[in-house]
Amino acid sequence: MTASREHFSSRLGFILAAAGSAVGIGNLVGFPVNAAKNGGGAFLLMYALFVFFICLPVMIAEMAVGRKTQKEPVGAYKDLSGGSKFWGAAGFLGVLTPFMIAVFYMVLTVWLFGYIALTVSGQLDFLASSEGFGMFINSPYLFVAMAVVAGIINYILVAGVKDGIERAAKVLMPALLVMLIIMVVFVLSLDNAFAGVKFFIIPDFSKITPSVINGALSQAFFSLSLGMGILITYGSYINRKTDITNSAKLVAITDTGVAFTAGLMILPAVFSFNPEVNPQELSDSSVSLIFTFLPKIFLALQTSIGYLGASVVATFFFTLVFFAAITSLVSILEVPVSYLVTEKCHSRKKALTVLLMTAGVLAVFATLSFGMVAFFTEFTSYAGGNRSFFDVVYDIFYDTILPLNGFLLCVFVSYRWKKQQLTKELSVGNDNYAGSWVEKYVNFSLGTFVPVIVFFIFINTVITKFWGINLFGV
Ligand code: PFF
């Protein structure tokens, strides 16, 4: 155990930081549209059940492994397995995955920053035009924006756990929640807004197909930042007075609550823009929704609130999503930072410089994948289509390896570290844990159906993504 390891100063600080990681681009845009398309209230109900009965035990286990070892995934797996090579490799995957996810997430965060700059400078009409996005993603100014985003991340992370991560979360998370509520109130006051609310909430159980179930489960898993090593690393910064199970519940409730509230912002906005819209026609991708569809909605507001008003609303929205992205990016980069500091004995400053430079170079390659350079744009091909460098990083690390990491964690905790040890760790800070129904449920689920389900998602993703075969035939 490293004697000098920094800790979050309070339980609230930890919860806000972990919720800051969990609340990301997916919550704010991807979730609402998915829900509206796939059964409204029926989807919401199923999603909430998945969060609490399948994902929460994994979240609790990740935090417990981190706090017990006071280490990031590599050190944690090594310590608890008595130095096993296999589990060391699993831990390494738990550090490589977040690093690579940070690469593609950085590109999106840079775009958000660019959108804020353009809406502030009165260019909402350009962003809403049909050629706007295409020109934007090929602009050389993106590299300036990337340097600014890297500077912000460095500024937060170099200050450490308490003065960096925790302080940023304590400012950005409440700001995000207040902005979200202001946006919801504003959007609900628009004409036809309630048609969107209806689509979002009224249940339609006929839409719940096996493929929708699989999608909801993957979404819940990703949304809680599982399988990325983040909660192991943040867990290593929790003090021994904190009740992990209750804290994890609060993180899950916040994440789900934000996703639900975002639905009350996005769908009414879509319906007020076009009351005839069929949610089925909305794109599945959060990226195209945020960057190409929403600017059009904001611009349409100019008929009621003028161009300036519409630009203010757009800036407000992109800033909200930017805050969510920054706290997620900070959390994911902290994993390799912590690895270099704990396992390789680098100073925080040096670790950050090395990581931001390497991630920065890869993020430049990913930025060049949208037409600027043919080599990165047509990087490879699989499942019958060309894939850019950006697509490959996304498909391999975000879509595929995450569930595999989740599976390995469940097996590790249940069969290598052992459930009694998990119970012992979770009893620290919660005297009533041992013997409770929560303990029984966590131990049973992690050792049985949770790894089976998560492994199935992994296999399904591999054959769908890389071989182009959909198990569900939909
Ligand atoms: N829960 C995050 C989200 O919904 O966007 C997942 C995440 C993605 C966290 C990327 C961190 C990150 F860098």
Side-chain angles (χ1 to χ4, degrees), residues 12-28:
L12 179 69
F14 162 64
I15 292 170
L16 284 175
S21 169
V23 172
I25 297 174
N27 292 60
L28 295 175

Side-chain angles (χ1 to χ4, degrees), residues 8 44 103 175 184 192 210 227 259 262 355-356 402 427 464:
F8 290 112
L44 297 178
V103 168
V184 169
N192 293 313
L355 284 166
L356 282 174
L402 281 196
S427 301
T464 316

Side-chain angles (χ1 to χ4, degrees), residues 19-28 98 101-102 104-106 219 221-226 228 230 255 324-325 327-333 398 402:
S21 169
V23 172
I25 297 174
N27 292 60
L28 295 175
I101 291 178
F104 96 79
Y105 215 72
M106 182 129 162
Q219 168 123 18
F221 193 83
F222 302 148
S223 183
L224 293 180
S225 293
L226 303 179
M228 306 188 195
I230 296 173
D255 187 62
T327 46
S328 294
L329 201 47
V330 160
S331 74
I332 207 154
L333 273 165
Y398 196 63
L402 281 196

Side-chain angles (χ1 to χ4, degrees), residues 252-314:
I253 290 172
T254 311
D255 187 62
T256 312
V258 169
F260 176 78
T261 314
L264 300 177
M265 162 177 76
I266 298 290
L267 291 154
V270 169
F271 275 80
S272 120
F273 172 67
N274 176 7
E276 304 302 315
V277 75
N278 173 359
Q280 246 35 51
E281 288 155 15
L282 294 175
S283 162
D284 269 331
S285 125
S286 305
V287 172
S288 71
L289 259 151
I290 298 184
F291 295 105
T292 64
F293 191 62
L294 290 179
K296 293 191 179 55
I297 294 188
F298 294 131
L299 186 65
L301 289 174
Q302 65 179 339
T303 50
S304 50
I305 54 175
Y307 188 70
L308 182 64
S311 302
V312 170
V313 174

Side-chain angles (χ1 to χ4, degrees), residues 108-234:
L108 302 184
T109 312
V110 166
W111 288 355
L112 286 168
F113 183 78
Y115 268 50
I116 297 173
L118 288 176
T119 48
V120 164
S121 58
Q123 298 182 61
L124 175 62
D125 50 353
F126 164 73
L127 292 176
S129 66
S130 53
E131 70 279 12
F133 181 63
M135 285 167 75
F136 172 82
I137 55 176
N138 285 308
S139 154
Y141 289 114
L142 285 178
F143 302 108
V144 179
M146 190 176 288
V148 175
V149 169
I152 297 174
I153 300 292
N154 188 63
Y155 175 77
I156 296 175
L157 281 180
V158 86
V161 177
K162 231 186 299 178
D163 296 333
I165 300 175
E166 183 174 336
R167 213 166 66 183
K170 278 184 169 162
V171 175
L172 295 177
M173 285 309 286
L176 182 150
L177 294 177
V178 171
M179 290 171 92
L180 180 62
I181 290 167
I182 294 175
M183 276 300 274
V184 169
V185 172
F186 170 72
V187 168
L188 287 179
S189 71
L190 298 173
D191 289 345
N192 293 313
F194 281 88
V197 177
K198 244 166 65 186
F199 252 104
F200 181 48
I201 292 180
I202 293 186
D204 177 355
F205 285 94
S206 70
K207 295 255 172 66
I208 307 292
T209 61
S211 139
V212 168
I213 296 174
N214 186 71
L217 190 50
S218 316
Q219 168 123 18
F221 193 83
F222 302 148
S223 183
L224 293 180
S225 293
L226 303 179
M228 306 188 195
I230 296 173
L231 297 171
I232 298 184
T233 309
Y234 274 16

